[in-house]
Amino acid sequence: MNGVRVELHGIVKRFGPVQVLHGVDLAFEPGRIVGLLGENGAGKSTLMKILAGYEAPSEGDVLVNARLVRFDGPRAAEAEGIVLIHQEFNLAEDLTVAQNIFLGHEKRRGWWLDDTAMRATARTVLDEVGLHKVNPDTRVRDLIVAERQLVEIAKALSRHARVLIMDEPTATLTPSETGRLFELMARLKAEGVTVVFISHKLDEVERVTDEVVVMRDGRVVAREPTAAITRAQMANLMVGRELADLYPPRHAVSADAPVLLSVQGLCVPGWAEDVSFEVRAGEVFGFAGLVGAGRTELFEGLLGLRERSARAVEIDGRAVRPRSPREAADAGLTYLSEDRKGRGLHVRFGLRENLTLMALQRHANPWLKPASEAAALEQAVRDFGIRTGSLTVPAGSLSGGNQQKLALAKVLHPGPRVVVLDEPTRGVDIGAKREIYALIRRLADEGRAVVVISSELMELIGLCHRVAVMRAGRLQATLSAEHLNEQELIAHATGTH
Amino acid sequence: MPPERTEPIAAAPPSASPRWRLPSFGPLLGLVLLCVVGTWLNSEFATLPNALNVLTRTAFIGIIAVGMCFVIISGGIDLSVGSMAALIAGVTILLMNKLVPLGWPPVALVVVGMATAVLLGALFGLAHGLLITRGRIEPFIVTLGTLGIFRAYLTYFADGGALALDNDLADAYGPVYYGSLLGVPIPVWVFALVAIGGALLLNRTAYGRYVQAIGSNEQVARYAAVDVDRTKVLTYTLLGVCVGIATLLYVPRLGSASPTTGLLWELEAIAAVIVGGTALRGGAGSIGGTVIGAILLSVISNILNLTSIISVYLNAAVQGFVIIAVAFMQRRRP
Amino acid sequence: MPPERTEPIAAAPPSASPRWRLPSFGPLLGLVLLCVVGTWLNSEFATLPNALNVLTRTAFIGIIAVGMCFVIISGGIDLSVGSMAALIAGVTILLMNKLVPLGWPPVALVVVGMATAVLLGALFGLAHGLLITRGRIEPFIVTLGTLGIFRAYLTYFADGGALALDNDLADAYGPVYYGSLLGVPIPVWVFALVAIGGALLLNRTAYGRYVQAIGSNEQVARYAAVDVDRTKVLTYTLLGVCVGIATLLYVPRLGSASPTTGLLWELEAIAAVIVGGTALRGGAGSIGGTVIGAILLSVISNILNLTSIISVYLNAAVQGFVIIAVAFMQRRRP
Amino acid sequence: QAQNKVNLGVAIPAATHSFAAGLVYWANEAKKELEKDPAIKVTIKTASGAPEQANQLQDLVTATKIDSLVILPFESAALTRPVQQVKAKGVYVTVVDRGLTDTSAQDAYVSGDNTAFGKVPAEYLAKFLNGKGNIVALRGIPTTIDNERMDAFTAVMKNHPGIKILDAKHGNWNRDDAFKVMQDFLTRFKEIDAVWAADDDMAFGVLRAIEQAKRKDIKIVFGGAGAKSMVKTLMDGSNPLIQANVSYSPKFLYEAIKMTALARKKGEKLPASTIVPSVLITKQNAKDFYFPDSPF
Ligand SMILES: Nc1ncnc2c1ncn2[C@@H]1O[C@H](COP(=O)(O)OP(=O)(O)OP(=O)(O)O)[C@@H](O)[C@H]1O
Ligand SMILES: Nc1ncnc2c1ncn2[C@@H]1O[C@H](COP(=O)(O)OP(=O)(O)OP(=O)(O)O)[C@@H](O)[C@H]1O
Ligand SMILES: O[C@@H]1[C@@H](O)[C@H](O)OC[C@H]1O
Ligand SMILES: [Mg+2]
Ligand SMILES: [Mg+2]
């Protein structure tokens, strides 16, 4: 297969008065995997959307094989072989997996759709990304986040891209899915496909890419062969200064610290069985497991969002049986969803409305006090390092990582005694990650109980006092800090201990 | 990280295949129960002639509901269908009457009339589609506007009264409503064909797929290079054609059109779609359910006519209770 | 967290902050244009008495539309408001007439009647809310059902005819509609209060924010610890209360209720909301726009009443064209 | 004699079915004729609901500044207060057909005869069936006038124990509804001798349903109000099921408008009450009730 060479010349992008790309020049050679790095809001996604025809540049040119092209939409870019896998999912939830994969590219036999052929091809690409057990006829609505991500990848594969752009494809994947994806990338590369890989997981970038491009504030600041640069250097280039230790020091939890969250025998039919654990004040408690282990559903059950039963649940010393997140919040527990777009943020609402939604009463007397809300937003923007051109944009126009920071600020706004964070650093840049880790530590030090569900084992190891490992809906083991290492966790998660 | 360790991702919870999704259980069950009640209340209910009567009179609303199902799945709405039917009926009658002096055979005139009905429907639907896509006006507003416009023009043409089809023409046209083929009335055949055609179009063609995609997430569809505007225009045009077909069956029934023709058909058609299990927000829906919904609504009033156990004033209440009860049976899971 | 990393936040562009959003430009412009046309067609149009007449008669629909605005923003719909108003009017009249023999002063009876109207509205709204949340039935279906039920029961109570208020009571009740305060008719005051209250509730209370959050994305709202069910129940109850208030103003005006009372008010109220710039799919909307939408609809028919340049048959067509034109002026950006 | 200028308003229901279209037609006929006289101005408003009609009354008084009003109330009880208000402003009020609940709100009343509308067909059918047989009835839209007609009909039938009213359902003065109701009556009752469809629009739908079912047991269909096409059928004797009708012509509106305008011009009063009788129409007198130009 012959590859294509794509070039970006002097790309400028403005959203209203805000300029987010300042004349980017970049060229990609066929048969290479290029890592694209940069802080949240640096302009990575925007640049790639321009390359793939989703956005039009305000200024500048796109060249394919030295030919000037103007894309009037993603379809035009696809015709040139350029395909983008979105950071935020781009699937029609009411349609099935196969229908989504072929949307706009349906196979036909005469007038009729050839569903049999499409299902068969869908099956093949699903297998390629490891979704062996997902039926092509399943509605996307019924998939979990990681599965949706893999469907996005499968969809891109089915398009036979010659330039494949992956915008944070691994943010929701666990190591094993990620490994499979990397094999796939290697195969594509061998076929002469150009792969652009955006990720905040620098170890992955180091492992899979041939070279890295670093962006900062809408400009390319560096381009180096991966072999010639260390992870620390990557981080420094992104942030523009030296980064100290990623994980803050752990303080021991005193044995007589009160138990703030106690769960006994929680069952969520079809998802989790007989799960018991306790989290103390000052403790960071992790949940590890493969995709599909049931961690998310366990906590959704706890919050009353799914059918569930439990022998006993105590929050902050009081026996409770929350039937909704409202009741859980009243009892002192809030939850950050892993599904930022579908459950985490109101993308059409402003930042302020999103931030204060869980604790509106605090800004009402009974009339809402806009000034107090605005002050809270300014505070949150400072505390969480949310980068935005303006404070009045809708949340949907923030970059992915900055949306994550806003979502995090939102669930912490009520000042919960117990906070459950599902993939808290999904899509967050390395600098901000460090800050979030510091924040989690501070929350614990303030005497709260923090539960962290994460697919990044290193994160759990670096952060938690104890980590529970789930597999197929059951709690396999609970490891304390001194026993935490990757091999141990993986062994429990996969059942090969 | 050891990729060989990977566990296959567990299958998602068993989910019904949506390709040939059966009409959902709720409305069907509701219909069956209703029929049991009907038979129990009046043995005439379960006779073939009564069944054919009910199906025949369901045909108008049913055919419109099939078109409406597409519009609703695409995330739109059309409030004007009743008025549109009335205006099409009126114009068709006027035109046919005007052509009588030409001395053509009545059957030819009838064919011209029928073609006009379908054509007018398509044109009105096209106008809706263009106002909604090019004009970028909410479907609710566009069709609320034309609801008034269509009916006003019919009233104007009819001078407020009824427009009646010329007698000879009415005789020639009659069989289209009153005739049968293999013992089944023509309108029932047409209804069946429209429903089957609709189901095929929705589930087996790219166009149908696009309708669902647009209703589910317009942005995603746009990104997938679906021609959203064209699909929407087509969808409203299709509904217009359905209204035209319904009208061409309606005209021979009474041979007249008046300002009350088609009154509230929009509500009935939308109700048939929603009772049939399609969600008002769009994205997914079923033609089979819609057909059952339409029949169910007719059966309720048929049963009420066949019995006198309840004050006539309360007919509408019974209908209301039944609709809510049927919906309750198929309610969404939490 | 180290604040030194924070980038300075660029000055906010002239904001589209949704809190105190002005009624959007389109309907306002439409209203102004319409008034210019009205004045030009009939000089009586621009007089104070005419303006007060129009505002007074807008009050019913306007008040209902304020409640409807909340329901639509929350992502719901209520088709039953017209029937609900009719039933409330009927029951209130029946009750007041029944109480006459007690010999209470008429004013006391009137107060009882007014309280009953509001209470009934709240109860009906509550029933809707519970069926929708606990029963998990689509709002469209629930209120389509009660649309029939309410009207049927009114027809039943009225024995198919009209329920008329006792004459003495009518005299005592009259001022509630016909009276003025500082030269402004009572219904206009009530309308203004309801609108201001509604605007405050929507934009300045937690409840209002929750309504918008639910309409924008129910799932997100639920995860954000919004008590979705409670908020929805409240919203339908609130609409019921608005219907009750509208009815208590309506009863003294016509002093009777019949099976045609409140017919198609639901369409008018929804139209006022949508013409006022609120999207049918929910999530955001404006009370100011709704008020303007309601006035705009009344002004159209007022102007039609003040002129005779057009066949009476075409009134509805003129309304249709104006509605579409206004919507066109405020059409969504591409 | 004093020749006053007359500014007359006419408020009637909108033309939503044939009868109402007849009202609009006759109102316009009266306007055409009266406005040949430059001293007379006639403004016609049609309403599709009681509140709308009340609004129109306000607008007629406030803006058009009428001095006389002819109103066919959309609904008796509902329009009583609004008409009172108009009269209180010094406007001369003639009420047509549907009387107000408080007659002091009107200066004159011109009415059709709804009791006769029910009584005449009842008596005719009783005689036609020789006091024995099965009747089904189709009623109009639930309203006071519909009740008056139905009550008059059943009152007569009380005297004929051999006649059985099998059922009466609402066909809403509408052809389609009547068609469906009749279809179901035919399914339900195997022996029907006569049908009373309390309006000619409904009779039209009934005839089609009978035709379709090819039922021979029904001997007569009695409509009502004397619609143009039914009177024509009667004149031509073209349908054996149609043998008689009862008059209830919208032309009374024409009379009322003319009477009011001319009396006002002369400064005179109308008689407090004028009843336009509803009479039996048969083949013999049919041509007196035939108005080919009217839509009704
Ligand atoms: N539609 C839009 N309207 C306004 N601003 C936008 C829009 N889309 C992106 N931006 C802004 O452009 C900047 C770059 O965003 P982009 O999504 O490209 O960042 P990114 O590098 O992909 O970040 P992340 O790592 O968080 O995904 C951000 O400041 C963002 O707020
Ligand atoms: N016991 C089980 N038996 C069969 N399938 C299971 C079981 N538990 C979970 N699954 C499957 O796993 C998926 C649920 O994944 P879930 O979201 O619970 O995983 P998770 O641990 O939260 O993973 P992550 O958040 O990393 O994506 C579903 O597809 C479900 O079918
Ligand atoms: O419209 C009605 C008409 O159809 C009926 O026959 O008589 C009374 C009228 O109001
Ligand atoms: Mg991004
Ligand atoms: Mg999860």
Side-chain angles (χ1 to χ4, degrees), chain A residues 39 217 241 300 305 325-326 329 335 342-343 345-346 348-349 352-353 356-358 360-361 367-368 370 373 381 383 387 389-392 410 435 439 442, chain C residues 1-2 5-7 9-13 15 17-19 200 203-206 209-210 212-213 216-217 219-227 281-283:
Chain A
E39 282 182 290
D217 297 334
R241 64 191 158 74
E300 286 179 343
L305 288 158
R326 171 77 267 153
Y335 170 73
R343 301 188 162 83
L345 291 177
H346 282 101
R348 287 200 296 264
F349 271 26
R352 191 167 44 82
E353 286 82 356
T356 56
L357 190 58
M358 289 181 92
L360 261 189
Q361 294 311 337
W367 304 117
L368 290 176
E373 286 188 78
V381 162
D383 287 354
R387 305 215 302 173
S390 133
L391 288 182
T392 52
K410 169 180 164 177
E435 289 156 29
L439 173 85
R442 201 181 65 210
Chain C
M1 218 142 284
R5 266 201 71 251
T6 317
E7 281 216 326
I9 284 145
S15 127
S17 156
R19 273 178 325 108
L200 283 173
N203 299 302
R204 298 298 304 272
T205 67
R209 185 72 57 77
Y210 295 154
Q212 301 178 44
S216 183
N217 188 331
Q219 185 84 293
V220 174
R222 206 181 286 278
Y223 274 76
V226 172
D227 195 334
R281 70 176 143 65

Side-chain angles (χ1 to χ4, degrees), chain A residues 223-240:
Chain A
R223 179 168 193 159
E224 303 281 349
T226 310
I229 180 174
T230 65
R231 264 191 243 175
Q233 284 171 314
M234 292 183 202
N236 292 346
L237 280 170
M238 280 167 59
V239 185

Side-chain angles (χ1 to χ4, degrees), chain D residues 97-135:
Chain D
D97 191 25
R98 308 174 188 171
L100 300 181
T101 47
D102 176 1
T103 48
S104 70
Q106 68 204 20
D107 291 293
Y109 179 48
V110 177
S111 81
D113 187 347
N114 283 305
T115 303
F117 190 104
K119 199 170 136 208
V120 168
E123 283 166 350
Y124 187 92
L125 290 176
K127 198 156 143 232
F128 182 90
L129 298 174
N130 282 324
K132 210 171 108 28
N134 293 332
I135 295 183

